[in-house]
């Protein structure tokens, strides 16, 4: 069995039930965290519709949130979800608005003490999204 993430009549992703349920639960968690809808509708009859305009806003906010952190645990917990969202955004032809690279600690909201060395989280997210895209059934 599987479930479908569709944009209109186009299937963007057709994961197994387990992967779909985990992803949808993570979507709802991040909607709550960011205080906005994701653009991914409810799973009804094994299908969820994606609203590309709302999804674009959500992806932009998600990347801005991630950029404000410098915490290894948050990075580890969020990395797979962000990569999956980026792969889905690419399939939906959604413009991804990356934040300007942040240097130093100013403006950060979650900082691990001692702070880990700064890493190119955006580059890692892009690479992981490309890997996942090849593994995501349509």
């Amino acid at each position: 069995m599987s479930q479908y993430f569709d944009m209109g009549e186009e299937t963007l992703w057709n994961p197994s039930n387990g992967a779909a349920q985990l992803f949808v639960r993570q979507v709802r968690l991040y909607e709550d965290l960011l205080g906005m809808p994701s653009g991914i509708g409810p799973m009804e009859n094994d299908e969820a519709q994606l609203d590309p305009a709302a999804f674009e806003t959500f992806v932009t906010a998600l990347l801005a949130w991630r950029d404000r952190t410098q915490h290894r645990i948050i990075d580890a917990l969020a990395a797979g979800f962000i990569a999956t969202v980026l792969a889905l955004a690419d399939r939906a032809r959604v413009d991804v608005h990356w934040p300007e690279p942040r240097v130093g600690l100013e403006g950060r909201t979650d900082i691990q003490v001692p702070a880990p060395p700064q890493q190119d989280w955006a580059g890692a997210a892009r690479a992981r999204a490309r890997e996942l895209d090849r593994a995501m059934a349509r």
Side-chain angles (χ1 to χ4, degrees):
M1 300 279 303
S2 61
Q3 297 182 326
Y4 295 85
F5 293 88
D6 296 333
M7 188 173 66
E9 296 298 316
E10 179 184 2
T11 295
L12 302 172
W13 184 28
N14 177 224
S16 68
N17 286 345
Q21 290 170 4
L22 181 60
F23 179 70
V24 167
R25 287 184 176 134
Q26 288 181 316
V27 164
R28 302 307 174 228
L29 174 116
Y30 282 96
E31 285 176 332
D32 186 50
L33 179 75
L34 299 172
M36 67 176 51
S38 65
I40 297 175
M43 190 62 69
E44 296 175 345
N45 299 319
D46 292 331
E47 296 178 3
Q49 282 291 321
L50 185 141
D51 173 346
F55 193 58
E56 181 177 329
T57 301
F58 177 78
V59 172
T60 298
L62 178 67
L63 296 176
W65 166 81
R66 171 54 191 90
D67 192 59
R68 288 190 303 272
T69 69
Q70 189 171 354
H71 198 287
R72 286 184 178 149
I73 304 305
I74 290 174
D75 183 49
L77 291 169
F81 177 74
I82 290 171
T84 305
V85 164
L86 290 172
L88 199 55
D90 184 58
R91 289 179 175 198
R93 296 169 300 284
V94 166
D95 289 328
V96 175
H97 305 280
W98 291 90
E100 290 295 319
R102 189 178 295 270
V103 178
L105 300 178
E106 188 170 329
R108 297 204 185 265
T109 56
D110 285 292
I111 302 167
Q112 183 173 342
V113 179
Q118 289 206 262
Q119 298 176 355
D120 180 17
W121 72 267
R126 286 181 183 102
R128 182 72 174 142
R130 285 189 300 273
E131 290 173 17
L132 289 178
D133 182 60
R134 290 189 291 274
M136 293 169 72
R138 285 189 193 238

